[in-house]
Amino acid sequence: MIISPSILCWPMAGRMALSLPITIPCLRVRCNGTALPASHSSNARVLILGATGRVGGSTARALSNCCPNLQLVVAGRSREKGEQLLRDIGKQAEFVDVDIDDATALRAILDGVDLVVHAAGPFQCREQCNVLEAAIVSKTAYIDVCDGREYSQRAKGLNEKAKAAGIPAITTAGIFPGISNVMAAELVHLAKDESSGSGLKPEHLRFYYFTAGSGGAGPTILATSFLLLGEEVIAYRKGEKVVRQPYSGPVTVDFGKAVGKRTVYLLNLPEVASAHEILGVPNVSARFGTAPAIWNWAMVAVAKFVPQELLGNRATIDTLVRLSDPLVRALDGAVGELMSMRVDLECVNGRKSIGLFTHSNLSICVGVATAAFVRAVLEGSTEPGVWFPEEPGGIAVQARPLLLERASVGTLNFVMNRAPWMVEGDPKEIGFGIYIP
């Protein structure tokens, strides 16, 4: 099957846009990380764990749209929801029941699978990487949508085992973290390219995220949010690790058209550590905010007044989710499901560039983003080992633009390597790629 993406337009700061037509086949991966010919694409078999949830189901729908010849195996806790998903995505799919905590059952279901997508979150408080370990034993390519710092580091600890087995694996391969990591890596790469020979170095990297309500992502996002409120925030300042209180340090950020200015707060997200270590940026932080503002105030109150031991207890979190989910769903209908992420890079000479990604529905775009990672792995863009998205072993440098283009399908606004004023204001083009505020 041949996939023909739309024209790739890669805006460069201070330059005219470069447009390239691209035709990329959907391939099948070998266990050593290389790709099989496109003629084998109809044999590729992808297992999605957590497929009856918002993120897993969205990933299944996105894959069925962009690679309809893939054989999808969807797994979840609700057979009723699973059967509804099968009706949505067509004949090239089947539903299975599996307990991800049962290693024997996992290995059995992975038999004959080319790649497994682990979307059965939340990942906080999980002490073992059962799915990744089973994937390594069964020699199955792997990606997850983990947003937990400890879990992602634990997954990275299996890097040598995955290399020895010849298995390509990417952790934190969703929308944020995931696409945001790749945006950061590309900004750093472009900055270094533009400053070749000048000694210019990246100094500050800031991740900013916004969702209206739950972003349409449902109970999993709620559970993740509550769990994150029980974790101290790790950030980096002048190369040193610093610890901050969760949902503190509010700043107002302009997310550009369709979103505008929003207040965001510190959270303990895995891309902070991975970007600091991999991209070599000495100052890194991540902030998140939501709407309406009452939810931010509630999150601040929970972080301040609810003991961390309670927020780290899954039974407590499940209770909080049950109590708040009906209200959140009602508000989602009123405030919409808008999401936006902004990645800011500042170099030592004051040069600033940003990437911006805005979509009308988080639960849709996270599936499109995860599907983009699936396609990259199947096409051989990932080497054997366990990688973060910003590592060249995870997504090859030359494969990043295509990954970002695929992930940005359906966005309201997607720009890369722009000066902040070009996003924050309403710049006018006066011709020849020249803008004025």
Side-chain angles (χ1 to χ4, degrees):
M1 180 187 64
I2 301 298
I3 303 298
S4 299
S6 59
I7 298 298
L8 172 63
C9 183
W10 203 252
M12 310 291 285
R15 303 179 184 176
M16 294 183 68
L18 174 66
S19 296
L20 297 172
I22 297 177
T23 301
I24 297 293
C26 188
L27 307 177
R28 182 186 177 192
V29 72
R30 286 196 180 104
C31 65
N32 64 0
T34 61
L36 291 176
S39 60
H40 292 273
S41 64
S42 63
N43 295 324
R45 189 172 173 86
V46 176
L47 170 65
I48 303 172
L49 299 173
T52 55
R54 295 286 185 96
V55 175
S58 178
T59 301
R61 291 180 177 90
L63 282 172
S64 70
N65 288 332
C66 66
C67 289
N69 289 341
L70 290 179
Q71 299 178 45
L72 298 180
V73 182
V74 296
R77 290 176 293 184
S78 169
R79 177 164 290 277
E80 180 182 355
K81 291 183 179 179
E83 290 174 350
Q84 177 59 54
L85 179 61
L86 293 182
R87 288 192 289 271
D88 292 344
I89 63 179
K91 297 179 180 178
Q92 288 287 103
E94 62 180 286
F95 176 82
V96 295
D97 291 304
V98 64
D99 180 357
I100 64 171
D101 294 318
D102 185 334
T104 302
L106 266 179
R107 287 196 293 270
I109 201 172
L110 287 171
D111 184 35
V113 169
D114 295 295
L115 183 146
V116 57
V117 179
H118 184 6
F123 291 85
Q124 288 78 9
C125 298
R126 282 199 168 271
E127 297 182 357
Q128 293 183 327
C129 299
N130 296 14
V131 178
L132 177 54
E133 290 172 351
I136 292 171
V137 170
S138 63
K139 296 188 181 297
T140 304
Y142 168 97
I143 72 169
D144 66 44
V145 296
C146 165
D147 50 9
R149 183 176 181 274
E150 289 186 4
Y151 188 97
S152 66
Q153 294 293 334
R154 196 174 294 119
K156 184 63 176 175
L158 296 171
N159 180 49
E160 293 304 319
K161 286 187 177 181
K163 282 185 177 179
I167 297 305
I170 306 179
T171 186
T172 68
I175 186 72
F176 60 85
I179 295 302
S180 59
N181 303 49
V182 179
M183 290 170 65
E186 191 67 357
L187 289 175
V188 170
H189 172 69
L190 293 171
K192 289 181 176 178
D193 268 3
E194 291 178 12
S195 62
S196 179
S198 68
L200 185 63
K201 293 182 179 180
E203 186 175 28
H204 295 274
L205 183 63
R206 303 178 182 93
F207 296 93
Y208 300 123
Y209 306 123
F210 168 79
T211 68
S214 71
T220 298
I221 289 293
L222 283 177
T224 297
S225 299
F226 286 128
L227 288 164
L228 284 171
L229 293 177
E231 297 182 6
E232 291 183 324
V233 174
I234 302 298
Y236 290 87
R237 184 174 182 271
K238 296 182 179 180
E240 298 295 325
K241 183 187 296 185
V242 294
V243 179
R244 298 285 184 262
Q245 291 299 310
Y247 234 68
S248 63
V251 299
T252 300
V253 176
D254 194 332
F255 288 91
K257 64 182 183 181
V259 183
K261 294 182 179 181
R262 303 288 180 168
T263 303
V264 291
Y265 304 77
L266 287 167
L267 273 182
N268 190 39
L269 299 175
E271 57 267 45
V272 171
S274 62
H276 167 71
E277 295 166 7
I278 295 160
L279 302 179
V281 184
N283 302 280
V284 188
S285 61
R287 284 176 165 86
F288 170 85
T290 186
I294 190 172
W295 285 127
N296 287 322
W297 304 337
M299 300 271 272
V300 170
V302 169
K304 280 187 176 181
F305 301 117
V306 177
Q308 286 192 352
E309 56 268 24
L310 286 180
L311 290 173
N313 182 286
R314 285 302 303 272
T316 301
I317 296 304
D318 289 344
T319 299
L320 286 172
V321 169
R322 282 197 305 272
L323 292 173
S324 57
D325 186 51
L327 180 58
V328 170
R329 288 180 183 273
L331 280 175
D332 277 355
V335 303
E337 301 175 353
L338 185 68
M339 67 77 59
S340 188
M341 55 187 183
R342 173 173 161 166
V343 183
D344 284 34
L345 178 68
E346 182 176 350
C347 296
V348 292
N349 70 340
R351 175 196 183 276
K352 297 179 180 180
S353 59
I354 72 169
L356 185 68
F357 182 115
T358 302
H359 197 284
S360 61
N361 191 302
L362 175 60
S363 63
I364 292 175
C365 70
V366 70
V368 174
T370 307
F373 280 108
V374 170
R375 295 169 71 183
V377 174
L378 292 178
E379 290 166 1
S381 294
T382 306
E383 299 174 8
V386 180
W387 310 98
F388 289 102
E390 62 267 44
E391 293 186 274
I395 298 296
V397 174
Q398 64 272 22
R400 287 175 187 160
L402 179 59
L403 176 88
L404 292 174
E405 190 209 1
R406 286 171 168 172
S408 65
V409 170
T411 52
L412 300 174
N413 194 14
F414 175 63
V415 297
M416 281 291 296
N417 203 32
R418 291 278 183 90
W421 66 265
M422 297 184 71
V423 172
E424 294 170 348
D426 185 19
K428 307 297 183 184
E429 185 176 7
I430 60 175
F432 304 103
I434 300 173
Y435 291 83
I436 59 173

